Amino acid sequence: MGLYTKMGCILGLLISLYALWIEHNVYSQSNYLAYCDLHQYISCSRVLTSKYSKGFGILGDYVGEDHVLNQPNCIYGIFYYLLFLTLDSLPQRDVVIQTKFSLSCSSIVMCLYLGYILAFILVDLCLVCIATYIVNIGLSIPSISNFIQLLERSDYQQKKKS
């Protein structure tokens, strides 16, 4: 397992756990102020308790607000980083490389979607959110690189058979 990927997964896991901690405290303590609440427009608490912080702002519309799948986004993040860490600890066979590539692409799409919501709908700057975007991009780089190497290897093997 690559140390870079392992550290990225652990960092992402810690950030997601901190986001969950913020959400819990905002709902349980009326005067809670998170460390990342620096200004009216730089507020993790405001973003992490918005409509978009649960089920990506869309699952509730389809499955219902109280459905088991409509969880805080940070819960999905926790599962994502644990799954990525698990996959990275397995032998890097083709299927593992392809799965990590697919997970990386989906995380980039979600970062773009949530980043758009953050910037243009909520008009806020969430430091926790931006930190997860950076971690996701960082984890995607080696996954994409490994996938490209896999494609080149299979292309080379195809040419060698011809």
Side-chain angles (χ1 to χ4, degrees):
M1 172 172 21
L3 182 62
Y4 174 82
T5 302
K6 182 179 181 180
M7 288 174 38
C9 289
I10 291 170
L11 182 59
L13 187 58
L14 291 173
I15 294 168
S16 295
L17 288 169
Y18 180 61
L20 186 61
W21 174 259
I22 291 171
E23 288 183 42
H24 170 74
N25 284 329
V26 167
Y27 288 122
S28 65
Q29 302 174 24
S30 60
N31 60 347
Y32 178 74
L33 184 65
Y35 291 117
C36 53
D37 290 343
L38 304 176
H39 185 272
Q40 178 182 353
Y41 297 108
I42 305 174
S43 173
C44 300
S45 297
R46 191 168 84 82
V47 173
L48 294 173
T49 55
S50 74
K51 158 190 168 166
Y52 300 99
S53 70
K54 191 173 181 186
F56 307 107
I58 53 177
L59 280 179
D61 296 338
Y62 294 101
V63 298
E65 290 298 322
D66 295 328
H67 194 275
V68 70
L69 290 177
N70 194 31
Q71 294 295 318
N73 297 348
C74 53
I75 297 289
Y76 294 111
I78 290 167
F79 283 115
Y80 171 80
Y81 295 118
L82 289 173
L83 177 59
F84 210 92
L85 191 60
T86 302
L87 287 170
D88 203 56
S89 65
L90 296 173
Q92 296 301 295
R93 294 195 166 90
D94 293 356
V95 69
V96 173
I97 293 170
Q98 292 166 344
T99 304
K100 285 171 47 181
F101 174 75
S102 298
L103 285 171
S104 294
C105 290
S106 65
S107 78
I108 297 299
V109 168
M110 292 310 297
C111 287
L112 292 171
Y113 166 71
L114 292 171
Y116 173 83
I117 289 170
L118 186 64
F120 298 107
I121 295 175
L122 297 176
V123 190
D124 206 324
L125 182 65
C126 172
L127 300 177
V128 169
C129 303
I130 292 171
T132 60
Y133 304 159
I134 292 168
V135 168
N136 289 347
I137 291 167
L139 287 174
S140 295
I141 293 169
S143 293
I144 293 168
S145 174
N146 289 342
F147 185 72
I148 290 170
Q149 290 173 5
L150 173 67
L151 292 176
E152 289 171 347
R153 225 178 20 248
S154 62
D155 186 47
Y156 174 77
Q157 289 171 352
Q158 289 292 338
K159 287 180 182 177
K160 192 175 174 182
K161 288 180 182 178
S162 301

